[in-house]
Amino acid sequence: EIPTQFQSLQSLSTLNLSYNNLSGSITIFNELRGLVQVDIAHNELEGPVPDVPAFQNASIQALEGNKGLCGNVSGLKPCKLSKNGHHKLLYAIMLPLLGAAILSIAILALFFGFKKKGKDADEERESTKIDENLFAISSVDGRLLYAEIISATKNFNSQCCISKGEYGNVYRVELSSGDIVAVKKVLPLHADEVSTAKEFQNEVMALIDIQHGNIVKFYGFCCSAEQSFLVYKYLEKGSLAANLSNDETAKELDWDKRLNIINGVAYALSYLHHDCSPPIVHRDLTSDNVLLDLEFEAHISGFGMAKLLNPDSSNWTNHAGTYGYVAPELAYTMKVTEKCDVYSFGVLILEVIVGAHPGDLIATLPSSSLEMRLLVKDVLDQKPLPPSAYIQDKLVSLMKIAFMCLADNPHSRPTMCAVSQLLAS
């Protein structure tokens, strides 16, 4: 049976008990309001599905294999109501209506006669919203973590900002535990974008399960109408763009390190495209969104614009990406595919070789191996020490891969799996 201790796990956000041969009633989960993702498939559980959003919004695949389950969830049989159950249902319908009427009167009274109390009530609702929307790091309470981030950033004061981007600003936050995190405050949504907030939240939730050495560790997020931010592991060396543009760090970023960075990004993209289900397209791969740790190992970040490729949908989307990295087909179609990331990766390769955004070089396709070798020699970043003959051959091969990725026709571009294999050969 399910241990009764589960009732006390109020901060639990993900619950996976599938294929455990558990039995008994699942009413034990009724109080776990912090849950956002559940999977209890293929057990011997019974009873009505808990009135918790994670359960009510769960797919039938997460609940199937439990013959005794019932409830208002697609794919499950409805629960049979006893006479008392009918009374409870009547109460369940009438009480919210009565409560809504009372609440309306109270709101009017508060608005016209008690503005200060109304403000206090708003603050209390905001605190509740924070608890519901913020995923805690480890076992830290969501409200405490929120308060700590607000305090450390002085309520996201510009003086505490370490970098700025089109979709949000990043802050370095040292927690009381000693952990250092990067907090990206997402810029407010425009009025016509509010409807996409739920989609954004769902996509971010999917990123919680990503485990890859070349993808920045994602801890959690706060998503509310007032402000939204994401919490990531802090990486000490900052962005690839910052390191390439600084003369001192660019010298330290020798050709071995640069080749390793390209390999790391390729492996991460291959993982997102081919090992995640559904596949994930980053949509905003740039040198600003590649972060480096103390060993100059690459970690892809900036997943705020990531798109899950649903095989049952058209995968059309609003425009996203950074000028100079966006695939050309997105000028006339909004259909997102993995090949959009492949194009951006081609730009990134040239940027690592040149030491800056390649600009018009993207349109320069050498017609022979000799021209390719001469081009590498002409555009090579002069800040690090010159590459050895062996590394120079590697860079020529890398340039060839870059131009394959930059093909105008997305169908002519290689997959990231194929690119990873080419880089490993």
Side-chain angles (χ1 to χ4, degrees):
E1 292 191 1
I2 303 172
T4 56
Q5 289 87 341
F6 268 103
Q7 296 179 88
S8 62
L9 300 178
Q10 297 298 311
S11 298
L12 188 66
S13 62
T14 301
L15 176 70
N16 190 336
L17 297 176
S18 57
Y19 296 94
N20 271 287
N21 200 31
L22 295 170
S23 61
S25 173
I26 62 169
T27 55
I28 193 172
F29 300 128
N30 282 339
E31 302 304 317
L32 300 187
R33 297 287 170 180
L35 283 176
V36 296
Q37 187 175 348
V38 297
D39 188 347
I40 58 170
H42 301 286
N43 286 289
E44 299 295 331
L45 300 173
E46 58 187 27
V49 173
D51 186 21
V52 174
F55 278 95
Q56 294 296 320
N57 298 328
S59 65
I60 187 60
Q61 289 79 11
L63 304 173
E64 64 185 3
N66 295 282
K67 295 182 179 179
L69 291 187
C70 64
N72 189 25
V73 176
S74 178
L76 290 183
K77 61 184 179 183
C79 297
K80 295 180 179 179
L81 290 176
S82 62
K83 187 175 181 180
N84 287 338
H86 285 292
H87 290 160
K88 289 179 180 178
L89 180 60
L90 181 62
Y91 294 149
I93 294 172
M94 294 300 296
L95 286 177
L97 292 175
L98 186 60
I102 295 172
L103 182 61
S104 299
I105 296 170
I107 289 173
L108 288 172
L110 287 170
F111 184 75
F112 290 109
F114 303 99
K115 289 185 178 180
K116 185 178 183 303
K117 289 184 179 180
K119 183 177 179 181
D120 292 340
D122 287 340
E123 291 175 353
E124 184 176 347
R125 282 194 293 272
E126 172 62 17
S127 295
T128 304
K129 195 180 299 180
I130 290 165
D131 274 346
E132 291 173 351
N133 288 309
L134 185 67
F135 285 82
I137 297 173
S138 300
S139 58
V140 178
D141 179 79
R143 186 181 297 181
L144 293 176
L145 178 60
Y146 178 89
E148 197 167 349
I149 289 173
I150 295 298
S151 175
T153 59
K154 300 177 182 177
N155 198 18
F156 295 106
N157 188 291
S158 59
Q159 294 179 347
C160 301
C161 180
I162 60 174
S163 70
K164 296 183 178 181
E166 183 179 355
Y167 301 108
N169 300 331
V170 180
Y171 302 78
R172 179 185 182 276
V173 177
E174 185 169 356
L175 303 175
S176 58
S177 62
D179 294 320
I180 299 176
V181 296
V183 177
K184 181 176 182 179
K185 185 177 187 294
V186 181
L187 296 179
L189 293 171
H190 300 298
D192 59 346
E193 295 177 311
V194 173
S195 62
T196 66
K198 181 173 176 57
E199 179 184 353
F200 168 76
Q201 182 171 335
N202 289 341
E203 292 183 1
V204 172
M205 284 167 55
L207 298 177
I208 294 173
D209 294 328
I210 289 180
Q211 297 291 335
H212 192 278
N214 294 110
I215 296 177
V216 67
K217 177 66 177 175
F218 177 71
Y219 289 131
F221 72 99
C222 170
C223 182
S224 66
E226 287 72 22
Q227 59 183 358
S228 301
F229 57 80
L230 304 109
V231 184
Y232 292 98
K233 179 180 179 181
Y234 178 75
L235 294 167
E236 298 81 359
K237 288 292 184 179
S239 71
L240 174 61
N243 281 270
L244 289 173
S245 62
N246 181 284
D247 287 347
E248 290 302 315
T249 54
K251 288 179 183 177
E252 191 177 359
L253 208 57
D254 60 38
W255 293 109
D256 282 326
K257 291 187 178 75
R258 295 187 189 211
L259 289 174
N260 189 56
I261 287 169
I262 290 298
N263 287 340
V265 174
Y267 297 150
L269 287 177
S270 181
Y271 168 82
L272 292 172
H273 293 178
H274 304 287
D275 297 326
C276 291
S277 181
I280 298 174
V281 177
H282 188 281
R283 292 206 301 167
D284 195 22
L285 180 68
T286 70
S287 55
D288 279 315
N289 284 331
V290 176
L291 303 181
L292 306 177
D293 60 22
L294 289 172
E295 304 300 321
F296 289 96
E297 192 73 32
H299 303 262
I300 294 181
S301 69
F303 280 91
M305 297 300 111
K307 180 72 176 177
L308 295 146
L309 292 190
N310 186 342
D312 298 323
S313 77
S314 62
N315 294 309
W316 287 64
T317 184
N318 295 328
H319 177 76
T322 300
Y323 179 77
Y325 296 87
V326 178
E329 65 269 18
L330 292 181
Y332 56 84
T333 177
M334 288 291 105
K335 186 174 183 179
V336 175
T337 71
E338 298 97 326
K339 297 301 180 72
C340 299
D341 282 349
V342 175
Y343 183 90
S344 302
F345 180 71
V347 178
L348 191 72
I349 291 177
L350 295 184
E351 187 170 356
V352 169
I353 294 174
V354 175
H357 188 277
D360 293 339
L361 180 63
I362 293 173
T364 306
L365 179 59
S367 58
S368 67
S369 296
L370 178 59
E371 284 189 15
M372 187 76 74
R373 188 171 291 275
L374 291 173
L375 180 62
V376 170
K377 187 176 181 181
D378 286 344
V379 302
L380 206 62
D381 189 2
Q382 300 300 306
K383 292 188 282 290
L385 292 174
S388 64
Y390 171 76
I391 294 295
Q392 194 153 359
D393 288 340
K394 285 277 190 181
L395 292 174
V396 171
S397 298
L398 199 58
M399 183 80 85
K400 291 178 181 177
I401 293 173
F403 282 109
M404 290 167 60
C405 296
L406 293 169
D408 286 335
N409 185 343
H411 299 294
S412 299
R413 298 171 203 154
T415 65
M416 285 311 304
C417 181
V419 169
S420 297
Q421 291 172 355
L422 288 171
L423 291 172
S425 61

